[in-house]
Amino acid sequence: MRFHPSRRELLLALPSLAAISGASAAAESTPGLKDLAARQGRLYGAAAATYQLADRDFAAVLAREAAIIVPEYELKRFLVEPSPGHYDFSAAETLSAFAASHGLLMRGHPLVWHAANPPWLEQAVLSSRKEALLSGYVTAVASRFRGRMHSWDVVNEALEPSDGMPGGFRNSFWFKAFGPGYVELAFRAARAADPSALLVYNDFGCEAGMPANDLFRARTLSLLEQLLKRNVPVDAYGMQGHLSAYGPGIDPRKLGTFLAEIEAMGLRLIVTEHDVDDAGGPSDTVARDRAVADASQRFLDVVLERPALIGVLTWGLSDRYLRAEGMRASLFETGLRKLPLDRALVPTPLYRAMSAAFRTARPAR
Ligand code: XIL
């Protein structure tokens, strides 16, 4: 079953506007990113984390700007199944309750990934090769949130052509134990557990214009084709959208063609984790902000051309909660600036680029 971001879904997000008591009148009269996206029939949203919700200023802005949230880490398996068969959904439920009380949608992320797993899992999978270690988890988690998730990233990052495996598969423990069939297993279990959630294959590697990305795009297209040929219930391709302002840029033609091909397969598209890394730039904040905004705008202009594009989520809303990532964050006094709001929750040039992109985009289908 396909998920349609219907008027009802979009209207569901609206009561949150009135619910924000702390927001100033001026802020309320200015359309937020979600309002601009909604005019095109799309969603804007952001990754959020439980530790951020205690920050009331931030939580109010999140509810005003985002129509949909996705847990930053609260649905990662290391937290959800710390020991075999012992599930802990409390953190994810906190986010779910926040979303429900503010009329926001929620995405689930991720069900099957090679990273952020509990330490016991990899060995257990490799030594037993029990499919239940994969499908049992998918069933338990997707059932828990049945009817409450807009979409699920069912499998995250299955491909890594540079690993040299057939089909461009990442040589993860999932692949080692089950071969390429693990992707199908996961999607089938997810559909059975939650028939209404949009089921997404989520990955990076297809954004930039380098030869390695050409290969990644080719492998992604064939993976999706194979899945559809086998009637695997995949509904959408999730493009993470992590960009780098001073690294390899996108090639609009290659990116546009790739997304159009996925669309032609009948799949929806969603940008799931957009941000723009400004590491490697000059110390001048104005110049870095400009480069970040420009990179995002070039990207969004291409993705928003696609009628199948449901929405765009950024990996966080404000730089306030960016973690120090080793050396890179300490390069500048200001830290990294890669999200729509700065640490003071003030809109950055990236925010304005996103607003402009949503304003001028052609509507979703
Ligand atoms: C990261 C989160 O930001 C961390 O808090 C978490 O512990 C590990 O994962 N691609 C993804 C996301 O699909 O899940 C990652 O998020 C960032 C890269």
Side-chain angles (χ1 to χ4, degrees):
M1 192 204 288
R2 294 267 185 273
F3 176 90
H4 300 286
S6 62
R7 293 242 171 272
R8 190 181 64 82
E9 295 288 357
L10 294 170
L11 286 171
L12 270 178
L14 291 178
S16 60
L17 283 176
I20 313 302
S21 50
S24 71
E28 272 187 39
S29 63
T30 314
L33 289 173
K34 77 165 154 202
D35 306 311
L36 296 173
R39 289 181 195 171
Q40 311 292 337
R42 293 195 171 91
L43 298 167
Y44 166 73
T50 43
Y51 62 86
Q52 301 167 355
L53 301 182
D55 177 343
R56 304 188 107 215
D57 294 343
F58 175 80
V61 174
L62 177 66
R64 180 159 57 80
E65 294 291 344
I68 181 165
I69 59 170
V70 59
E72 180 201 308
Y73 68 90
E74 288 80 352
L75 279 171
K76 280 165 179 156
R77 191 161 174 173
F78 76 89
L79 198 71
V80 172
E81 198 186 6
S83 58
H86 292 99
Y87 290 90
D88 180 356
F89 293 109
S90 53
E93 289 292 1
T94 299
L95 283 171
S96 174
F98 177 84
S101 70
H102 292 87
L104 314 183
L105 302 175
M106 185 160 161
R107 312 193 64 237
H109 163 90
L111 287 170
V112 180
W113 195 22
H114 62 275
N117 287 309
W120 58 267
L121 183 67
E122 176 163 346
Q123 209 33 56
V125 167
L126 289 174
S127 57
S128 75
R129 296 181 187 238
K130 272 195 193 136
E131 286 181 3
L133 287 168
L134 185 146
S135 51
Y137 180 79
V138 172
T139 302
V141 180
S143 306
R144 167 83 189 205
F145 293 96
R146 181 185 178 114
R148 290 196 279 157
M149 290 298 188
H150 159 276
S151 49
W152 265 110
D153 290 337
V154 178
V155 176
N156 194 31
E157 303 179 357
L159 300 177
E160 182 47 272
S162 66
D163 280 358
M165 294 295 117
F169 274 88
R170 179 186 295 277
N171 197 15
S172 68
F173 66 92
W174 295 119
F175 183 76
K176 286 179 186 150
F178 306 121
Y182 85 85
V183 176
E184 175 168 348
L185 272 177
F187 276 92
R188 292 200 189 283
R191 176 62 94 233
D194 187 348
S196 65
L198 186 82
L199 303 185
V200 181
Y201 174 72
N202 194 53
D203 212 334
F204 66 92
C206 298
E207 290 86 344
M210 306 287 279
N213 308 107
D214 295 341
L215 185 56
F216 221 120
R217 279 184 282 269
R219 297 298 185 239
T220 303
L221 291 172
S222 34
L223 171 63
L224 296 172
E225 268 162 14
Q226 291 300 316
L227 293 173
L228 291 173
K229 210 164 88 188
R230 299 175 61 81
N231 288 318
V232 176
V234 54
D235 299 314
Y237 170 67
M239 171 167 267
Q240 292 187 0
H242 295 292
L243 305 185
S244 170
Y246 297 98
I250 65 145
D251 176 321
R253 194 187 51 80
K254 289 178 178 179
L255 179 60
T257 305
F258 169 70
L259 295 175
E261 283 184 53
I262 296 178
E263 193 174 76
M265 294 179 198
L267 295 174
R268 311 299 293 271
L269 301 163
I270 180 165
V271 174
T272 52
E273 308 182 14
H274 183 46
D275 57 11
V276 187
D277 197 334
D278 63 340
S283 57
D284 173 19
T285 304
V286 174
R288 282 194 286 138
D289 281 0
R290 189 71 264 144
V292 164
D294 287 350
S296 177
Q297 187 139 16
R298 278 195 298 274
F299 174 69
L300 293 178
D301 283 349
V302 177
V303 301
L304 289 169
E305 269 285 294
R306 306 295 0 138
L309 198 268
I310 296 164
V312 176
L313 286 90
T314 48
W315 200 246
L317 177 60
S318 159
D319 295 333
R320 179 175 288 193
Y321 293 106
L322 286 182
R323 303 251 182 78
E325 290 166 45
M327 289 285 289
R328 294 191 310 162
S330 58
L331 284 177
F332 307 112
E333 267 176 31
T334 48
L336 296 177
R337 294 167 64 86
K338 57 201 267 187
L339 291 169
L341 302 177
D342 71 10
R343 289 178 184 197
L345 306 179
V346 173
T348 60
L350 172 59
Y351 183 101
R352 289 186 284 280
M354 295 188 69
S355 306
F358 285 136
R359 275 180 203 278
T360 55
R362 55 153 106 160
R365 77 154 179 252

